[in-house]
């Protein structure tokens, strides 16, 4: 028996030694981590196993932080991820500036996003920046451009702001701000982008499912291969356990078919009338045998990426107002200087005057923005005398750069006035809406929606914490879709007189 155990242990040891040598041969021209007795074979083998079992997006973020701090040089650090896939971690805004718009960095990591494909298949998750992606992106740019947002969505934003205040005043003593904001942003997405109005956006089952999406997405990013297999099995039966989401899908499809049957024109460059997103999707998938599935998977991507990301950001900003009363009062005073005692609706000109509110939103995004952004090199790239090989995953470690004292003074301090200063280092280490041609086309949409809602929240409510002892430094953020509040506190709301 003992001989068998020793024999098995010897086989395992030799197998791992062989694996370490294989890994070392694959990556030796890029890097070599010293390990046992200084041999890079053991160092590379150690990190190979360590990054196989991270399990969540937050674990990935923490792990990449550790790698950069230990082995990064001049903002560039080579590594491996998801097994044998080559990875380079970028942690310097100077390097981001050189790479951000590089023609060989337009694609997203194919492997990292494949776990979403059964449920999301739009411009965000589509890895290749091919002609199909370019066509979709052009449609989104048209739909979400500044003039379209201001002309077609402004009324919906005003209505959603009133709904937000109403929900807050209904729960004055213990408000779960994220769920309240999530219902509002889902409703706005349905009305503005989908052209469908429904109270289902506030249904508890829908809120519960969408609230859990951030944790589900975190697991998918960490284990995309496993997630793809599981979701492929679950996808045909998902309406059994997320029935209200299925009802929303059918409502959107029913409205889309109604418009198509009424011969309402499809969008084109010669058409001046406004069209909602489903009409754009239908115009390019009309003859597809998988029409319903293609429409639904693309709209599900938009529903998640637009409503959840805005909700996450806005709930974090409202929480910051409650945790930082002196900043809340300064933001309110700016509103009072603009409106006085007048209860009128904010105009576009009013929004332009809300400079402190805009800096406050940006500072909130510095804490709750995306933890990292991933691209994939479609050819060899030279940067600072270093070659990034073709097919390498390139990760901009944004959360690391946003907290780096080399670029931000007192980075753990919440200070909106830091954005009074300019500078390219600040620009390329901030990037809350992404970098390069794959950045978020909804920046104007999101900022306009948040400004209008926060303006009304500030003018009509005064916020504080249920737990009076909680300080800003007690708030914990973790990587999920964005940097989400791990311990969101309950809020107290009182109406301003």
């Amino acid at each position: 028996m003992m001989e068998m155990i020793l024999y098995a242990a010897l086989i395992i040891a030799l197998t791992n030694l062989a694996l370490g040598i294989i890994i070392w041969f694959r990556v030796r021209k890029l890097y070599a981590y010293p390990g046992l007795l200084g041999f890079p074979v053991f160092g590379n083998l150690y990190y190979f196993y360590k990054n196989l079992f991270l399990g969540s997006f937050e674990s990935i973020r923490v792990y990449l932080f550790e790698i950069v701090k230990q082995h990064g040089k001049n903002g560039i650090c080579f590594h491996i991820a998801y097994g044998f896939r080559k990875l380079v971690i970028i942690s310097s805004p100077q390097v981001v500036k050189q790479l951000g718009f590089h023609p060989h960095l337009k694609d997203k990591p194919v492997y990292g996003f494949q776990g979403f494909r059964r449920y999301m298949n739009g411009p965000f998750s589509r890895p290749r920046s091919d002609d199909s992606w370019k066509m979709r992106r052009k449609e989104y740019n048209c739909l979400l451009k500044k003039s379209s947002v201001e002309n077609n969505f402004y009324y919906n934003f005003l209505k959603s702001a009133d709904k937000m205040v109403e929900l807050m005043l209904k729960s004055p003593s213990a408000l779960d701000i994220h769920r309240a904001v999530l219902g509002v942003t889902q409703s706005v997405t349905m009305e503005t982008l989908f052209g469908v109005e429904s109270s289902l956006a506030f249904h508890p089952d829908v809120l519960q499912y969408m609230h859990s999406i951030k944790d589900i997405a975190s697991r998918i990013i960490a284990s995309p291969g496993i997630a793809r297999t599981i979701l492929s099995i679950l996808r045909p039966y998902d309406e059994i356990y997320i029935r209200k989401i299925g009802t929303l899908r059918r409502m959107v499809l029913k409205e889309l078919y109604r418009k198509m049957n009424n011969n309402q024109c499809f969008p084109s460059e010669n058409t001046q009338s406004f069209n909602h997103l489903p009409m754009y999707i239908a115009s390019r998938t009309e003859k597809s045998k998988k029409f319903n599935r293609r429409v639904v998977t693309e709209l599900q991507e938009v529903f998640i990426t637009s409503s959840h990301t805005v909700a996450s950001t806005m709930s974090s900003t409202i929480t910051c107002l409650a945790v930082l009363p002196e900043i809340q009062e300064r933001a309110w005073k700016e509103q009072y200087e603009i409106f006085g005692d007048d209860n009128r609706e904010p105009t576009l000109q009013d929004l332009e005057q809300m400079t402190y509110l805009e800096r406050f939103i940006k500072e909130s995004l510095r804490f709750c923005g995306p933890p990292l952004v991933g691209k994939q090199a479609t050819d060899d790239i030279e940067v600072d005398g270093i070659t990034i090989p073709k097919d390498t995953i390139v990760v901009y470690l944004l959360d690391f750069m946003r907290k780096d004292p080399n670029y931000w003074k007192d980075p753990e301090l919440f200070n909106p006035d830091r954005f009074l200063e300019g500078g390219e280092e600040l620009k390329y280490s901030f990037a809350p809406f992404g970098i390069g041609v794959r950045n978020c086309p909804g920046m104007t949409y999101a900022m306009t929606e948040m400004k209008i809602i926060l303006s009304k929240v500030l003018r009509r409510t005064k916020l504080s914490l249920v737990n009076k002892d909680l300080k800003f430094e007690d708030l914990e953020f973790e990587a999920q879709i964005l940097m989400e509040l791990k311990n969101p506190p309950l809020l107290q709301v009182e109406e301003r007189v």
Side-chain angles (χ1 to χ4, degrees):
M1 184 69 178
M2 182 60 68
E3 289 182 358
M4 291 181 62
I5 294 174
L6 292 174
Y7 185 65
L10 180 61
I11 291 175
I12 292 172
L14 291 175
T15 302
N16 277 277
L17 179 60
L19 176 61
I21 293 171
I22 291 170
I23 296 170
W24 177 66
F25 266 103
R26 288 178 61 91
V27 303
R28 68 190 188 283
K29 293 181 180 179
L30 300 177
Y31 70 89
Y33 294 152
L36 182 66
L37 302 176
F39 287 100
V41 168
F42 298 110
N44 292 340
L45 186 63
Y46 166 77
Y47 283 112
F48 171 82
Y49 278 121
K50 189 170 183 180
N51 79 54
L52 279 181
F53 306 103
L54 294 174
S56 70
F57 203 10
E58 171 64 9
S59 298
I60 292 174
R61 182 190 72 90
V62 172
Y63 175 72
L64 295 181
F65 267 45
E66 294 173 354
I67 295 296
V68 164
K69 289 179 179 178
Q70 292 180 38
H71 305 289
K73 294 180 180 179
N74 301 320
I76 299 177
C77 181
F78 283 99
H79 197 54
I80 50 175
Y82 300 127
F84 292 107
R85 290 168 177 83
K86 290 172 289 188
L87 171 74
V88 62
I89 313 164
I90 308 300
S91 58
S92 162
Q94 292 91 346
V95 182
V96 174
K97 180 183 176 182
Q98 296 178 65
L99 294 178
F101 290 87
H102 198 285
H104 299 328
L105 280 177
K106 295 180 180 179
D107 287 1
K108 287 196 171 184
V110 176
Y111 184 76
F113 282 87
Q114 67 171 297
F116 293 100
R117 295 303 295 276
R118 288 289 178 180
Y119 278 85
M120 294 169 55
N121 188 21
F124 171 76
S125 62
R126 194 175 182 87
R128 299 300 185 199
S129 298
D130 52 16
D131 290 340
S132 175
W133 177 85
K134 291 176 183 177
M135 179 178 64
R136 296 182 186 196
R137 179 58 189 249
K138 186 176 181 180
E139 294 169 357
Y140 282 69
N141 287 343
C142 180
L143 181 70
L144 297 169
K145 62 185 178 183
K146 188 173 185 291
S147 59
S148 180
V149 170
E150 294 174 353
N151 294 330
N152 301 310
F153 304 150
Y154 206 85
Y155 169 75
N156 300 95
F157 291 161
L158 293 173
K159 187 171 68 170
S160 67
D162 289 330
K163 182 65 176 179
M164 185 71 247
V165 172
E166 176 190 334
L167 290 172
M168 293 175 70
L169 293 175
K170 277 186 177 179
S171 303
S173 58
L175 174 67
D176 182 344
I177 189 62
H178 185 76
R179 287 181 179 270
V181 176
L182 186 56
V184 169
T185 55
Q186 289 176 168
S187 178
V188 173
T189 295
M190 294 288 292
E191 293 176 19
T192 57
L193 302 184
F194 297 0
V196 176
E197 188 171 349
S198 172
S199 61
L200 274 178
F202 296 93
H203 193 282
D205 291 350
V206 175
L207 290 176
Q208 178 61 36
Y209 174 73
M210 287 297 292
H211 185 70
S212 66
I213 279 291
K214 61 184 189 300
D215 187 57
I216 295 172
S218 172
R219 307 294 175 184
I220 292 174
I221 292 170
S223 305
I226 297 173
R228 184 180 186 182
T229 302
I230 294 173
L231 293 178
S232 295
I233 297 170
L234 295 179
R235 174 65 183 88
Y237 314 104
D238 63 355
E239 290 194 14
I240 296 174
Y241 48 90
I242 49 172
R243 294 179 181 178
K244 294 303 178 182
I245 295 292
T247 303
L248 280 175
R249 290 176 188 159
R250 291 190 292 272
M251 286 178 61
V252 174
L253 286 172
K254 183 179 179 181
E255 177 64 14
L256 175 58
Y257 280 120
R258 184 190 68 79
K259 291 181 178 179
M260 293 171 65
N261 292 334
N262 290 342
N263 293 319
Q264 291 184 323
C265 61
F266 283 134
S268 72
E269 293 182 2
N270 299 322
T271 303
Q272 298 300 318
S273 60
F274 173 74
N275 288 278
H276 293 97
L277 182 59
M279 293 298 286
Y280 281 96
I281 301 172
S283 68
R284 58 178 142 82
T285 58
E286 183 183 13
K287 297 179 181 179
S288 169
K289 293 181 180 179
K290 299 178 180 179
F291 177 83
N292 280 14
R293 178 181 166 185
R294 290 190 176 183
V295 171
V296 165
T297 53
E298 188 162 342
L299 290 177
Q300 282 181 165
E301 176 182 289
V302 174
F303 190 59
I304 292 170
T305 57
S306 62
S307 58
H308 185 88
T309 53
V310 175
S312 174
T313 303
M314 193 145 50
S315 61
S316 293
T317 59
I318 292 174
T319 300
C320 288
L321 287 174
V323 176
L324 300 163
E326 67 284 357
I327 287 180
Q328 180 183 171
E329 286 307 296
R330 186 173 170 186
W332 171 80
K333 286 179 181 177
E334 180 182 68
Q335 297 298 310
Y336 190 79
E337 289 169 0
I338 296 171
F339 298 98
D341 293 323
D342 197 333
N343 292 326
R344 64 179 175 84
E345 302 284 17
T347 65
L348 291 172
Q349 292 72 28
D350 293 330
L351 296 188
E352 291 178 359
Q353 295 183 56
M354 298 178 191
T355 55
Y356 184 76
L357 180 59
E358 182 163 327
R359 296 199 302 276
F360 167 73
I361 294 173
K362 287 182 177 179
E363 180 68 344
S364 299
L365 283 166
R366 192 172 67 83
F367 286 91
C368 68
L372 52 88
V373 172
K375 301 292 178 70
Q376 185 155 325
T378 55
D379 209 335
D380 289 357
I381 299 172
E382 297 289 333
V383 56
D384 292 340
I386 298 171
T387 300
I388 298 176
K390 180 181 178 181
D391 294 329
T392 299
I393 299 173
V394 178
V395 169
Y396 303 116
L397 204 55
L398 295 179
D399 187 55
F400 180 89
M401 287 186 278
R402 292 195 299 258
K403 306 290 177 56
D404 192 331
N406 292 313
Y407 311 114
W408 302 84
K409 182 180 178 182
D410 300 323
E412 298 301 327
L413 180 68
F414 192 100
N415 177 21
D417 286 339
R418 70 173 75 249
F419 286 94
L420 289 170
E421 303 175 5
E424 288 191 336
E425 287 186 347
L426 183 148
K427 174 183 176 182
Y428 288 103
S429 63
F430 181 47
F433 293 95
I435 297 166
V437 296
R438 297 295 293 258
N439 67 347
C440 176
M443 180 175 66
T444 300
Y445 179 98
M447 288 297 290
T448 304
E449 181 182 356
M450 286 193 290
K451 265 191 166 183
I452 291 174
I453 292 178
L454 289 172
S455 171
K456 285 208 171 186
V457 167
L458 283 163
R459 290 165 63 191
R460 293 189 55 189
T461 70
K462 188 171 184 179
L463 306 169
S464 58
L465 298 175
V466 172
N467 179 5
K468 304 297 183 183
D469 296 328
L470 189 73
K471 306 297 181 184
F472 178 77
E473 51 269 25
D474 297 325
L475 297 179
E476 298 179 37
F477 294 87
E478 64 178 354
Q480 291 181 325
I481 294 177
L482 300 178
M483 292 298 297
E484 313 272 354
L485 271 172
K486 186 178 179 180
N487 58 337
L490 293 175
L491 308 185
Q492 286 185 332
V493 185
E494 61 180 292
E495 190 167 9
R496 283 189 186 267
V497 180

